[in-house]
Amino acid sequence: MLIVQKYGGTSVGTLERIEAVAKRVAKAKEDGNDIVVVVSAMSGETNKLISYAENFSNNPKQREMDLLLSAGERVTSALLSIALNEMGYPTVAMSGRQAGIRTDKFHTKARIESINRLCIEKEINGGNIVVVAGFQGVTELGEVSTLGRGGSDLSAVAIAGALEADLCEIYTDVDGVYTTDPRIEPKAKKLDKISYDEMLELASLGAKVLQTRSVEMAKKLNVNLVTRSSFNDNEGTLITKEENIMEQPVVSGVALDRNQARVTLRGVTDKPGIAAEIFRKLSESNVNVDMIIQNVGHDGTTNLGFTVPQNELDLTKDAMLELNASQSVEYDSEIVKVSIVGVGMKSHSGVACTAFDTLSREGINLEMISTSEIKISMVIAAKYGELAVRALHDAYKLDE
Ligand code: ASP
Ligand code: MG
């Protein structure tokens, strides 16, 4: 098999950890696989480099920042390569440029445009383990670029896609994707498999195992992703196409999003164009509106409710002040969003009913509801968040 293994910052956080990673890579090679390794900077390193730059300037040139930040990943790739070499394995370390990773010209937030697969393939065919510095590439003009924070995941997925690798393993310090946050529900179980779409929903709801952009890219390029821990030998979670998952549970996971606030507008004039004006203001302020509810109007006015991220509430308030209409506005940040996610919902009825029933039996009031094909989200009072997660986890038997 051709396997791309990506090791995050904590996995390569010390020289001992790099040594441990070298042993894991060697083991995969001994098992008869071709291996491409993608590494992050040692944990804390990127932040340290940023603070060095800030020591001199509040507004450093983005081009120089890229040259600076790309160094963190290069250090790790060279060190891991040296360690593996010493263990007797032929290796080649590469920067993003040497690995043929071309990006657009937007420094510090570049997007990968293409990968010249021959650069890595040539070395693999020569029997080498290739160790690529993640998080970086090169622009058309030969300038070093970086992909935005957390971008090494993207490097790994893009390389796996370009090489048509059999597997892309993302090593972190957690065992994989869980049915819910084990700190809230100790009975949470690690999932063996989950589909791209479910993972995208969970990631956008705050499950921080994987960067959302890299899951999107994996889906697009059809890369089989596994997230697992580099600190033990437990099998991780496979993120793959829906068709590859034989037994679809109705619900795969429960998520709790605490970073939500609700805005209620009362007495909104009920005529065409008003909602457009309100949400245009919000989008101009770069506020990410999530759920929206409009009531059936009467007397020529209506009520409109929506949720925004809590840290965008101040922006929201400013935007609402700019509206020249007569509605009154209320804000409530004592709310949370609980969601259940599962592709099985598409083919099962009664899933929503079970959720509503479960919460009502706990005496929890549903303040807002929204659904998609594979998700049901409910806004409830913040103090019931954890209780709701445990009750739902139980109701869908996720601990079995
Ligand atoms: N080192 C970069 C960061 O800290 C990229 C990465 O770790 O994925 O954001
Ligand atoms: Mg990272």
Side-chain angles (χ1 to χ4, degrees), residues 88-149:
Y89 297 91
T91 58
V92 180
M94 290 181 170
S95 68
R97 177 214 303 262
Q98 289 170 317
I101 301 175
R102 263 280 313 278
T103 72
D104 64 21
K105 59 175 192 248
F106 297 101
H107 284 295
T108 72
K109 47 178 181 296
R111 290 188 166 259
I112 297 176
E113 283 181 339
S114 65
I115 296 184
N116 178 357
R117 62 186 276 176
L118 299 178
C119 300
I120 295 177
E121 236 163 34
K122 195 177 72 204
E123 301 300 341
I124 295 275
N125 294 340
N128 289 299
I129 296 173
V130 179
V131 188
V132 183
F135 176 57
Q136 57 189 275
V138 63
T139 70
E140 197 180 358
L141 298 175
E143 303 276 14
V144 175
S145 54
T146 65
L147 308 177
R149 297 307 304 267

Side-chain angles (χ1 to χ4, degrees), residues 6 8-9 40-41 46-47 73 135 148-153:
K6 184 262 173 178
S40 282
T46 307
N47 288 339
E73 269 69 9
F135 176 57
R149 297 307 304 267
S152 296
D153 284 356

Side-chain angles (χ1 to χ4, degrees), residues 33-256:
N33 302 299
D34 286 327
I35 309 290
V36 178
V37 188
V38 177
V39 287
S40 282
M42 296 168 77
S43 60
E45 197 60 25
T46 307
N47 288 339
K48 193 176 86 188
L49 294 172
I50 290 173
S51 75
Y52 285 173
E54 285 171 352
N55 183 60
F56 299 109
S57 166
N58 294 328
N59 187 23
K61 272 172 68 182
Q62 303 284 288
R63 177 189 177 279
E64 329 299 276
M65 284 309 284
D66 272 350
L67 198 60
L68 177 69
L69 297 188
S70 63
E73 269 69 9
R74 292 179 187 213
V75 168
T76 327
S77 65
L79 289 177
L80 179 59
S81 175
I82 290 168
L84 276 163
N85 221 282
E86 190 60 26
M87 290 164 64
Y89 297 91
T91 58
V92 180
M94 290 181 170
S95 68
R97 177 214 303 262
Q98 289 170 317
I101 301 175
R102 263 280 313 278
T103 72
D104 64 21
K105 59 175 192 248
F106 297 101
H107 284 295
T108 72
K109 47 178 181 296
R111 290 188 166 259
I112 297 176
E113 283 181 339
S114 65
I115 296 184
N116 178 357
R117 62 186 276 176
L118 299 178
C119 300
I120 295 177
E121 236 163 34
K122 195 177 72 204
E123 301 300 341
I124 295 275
N125 294 340
N128 289 299
I129 296 173
V130 179
V131 188
V132 183
F135 176 57
Q136 57 189 275
V138 63
T139 70
E140 197 180 358
L141 298 175
E143 303 276 14
V144 175
S145 54
T146 65
L147 308 177
R149 297 307 304 267
S152 296
D153 284 356
L154 268 180
S155 308
V157 174
I159 289 171
L163 297 175
E164 294 167 86
D166 299 285
L167 202 58
C168 179
E169 297 180 321
I170 308 277
Y171 285 93
T172 68
D173 50 9
V174 291
D175 279 352
V177 184
Y178 280 76
T179 49
T180 195
D181 185 343
R183 285 166 304 184
I184 298 175
E185 173 50 277
K187 285 187 283 182
K189 289 194 111 168
K190 197 189 71 211
L191 295 158
D192 293 335
K193 292 181 182 179
I194 189 170
S195 67
Y196 296 120
D197 289 328
E198 289 170 305
M199 188 65 231
L200 282 170
E201 291 283 9
L202 290 173
S204 73
L205 292 165
K208 282 194 261 321
V209 214
L210 274 175
Q211 199 207 28
T212 315
R213 259 171 88 197
S214 56
V215 183
E216 278 163 3
M217 186 182 284
K219 180 182 176 189
K220 196 169 113 203
L221 302 179
N222 225 330
V223 171
N224 282 317
L225 265 187
V226 170
T227 91
R228 54 188 298 189
S229 169
S230 68
F231 293 80
N232 60 44
D233 284 322
N234 299 346
E235 278 182 40
T237 302
L238 172 67
I239 301 153
T240 186
K241 272 198 295 209
E242 214 173 297
E243 301 91 277
N244 294 343
I245 303 176
M246 296 300 275
E247 265 178 64
Q248 285 294 356
V250 179
V251 171
S252 299
V254 184
L256 177 63

Side-chain angles (χ1 to χ4, degrees), residues 364-380:
I364 302 172
N365 191 38
L366 297 176
E367 303 187 11
M368 286 171 117
I369 301 165
S370 83
T371 62
S372 79
E373 225 187 356
I374 63 163
K375 179 184 77 172
I376 300 167
S377 291
M378 294 153 285
V379 167
I380 60 174

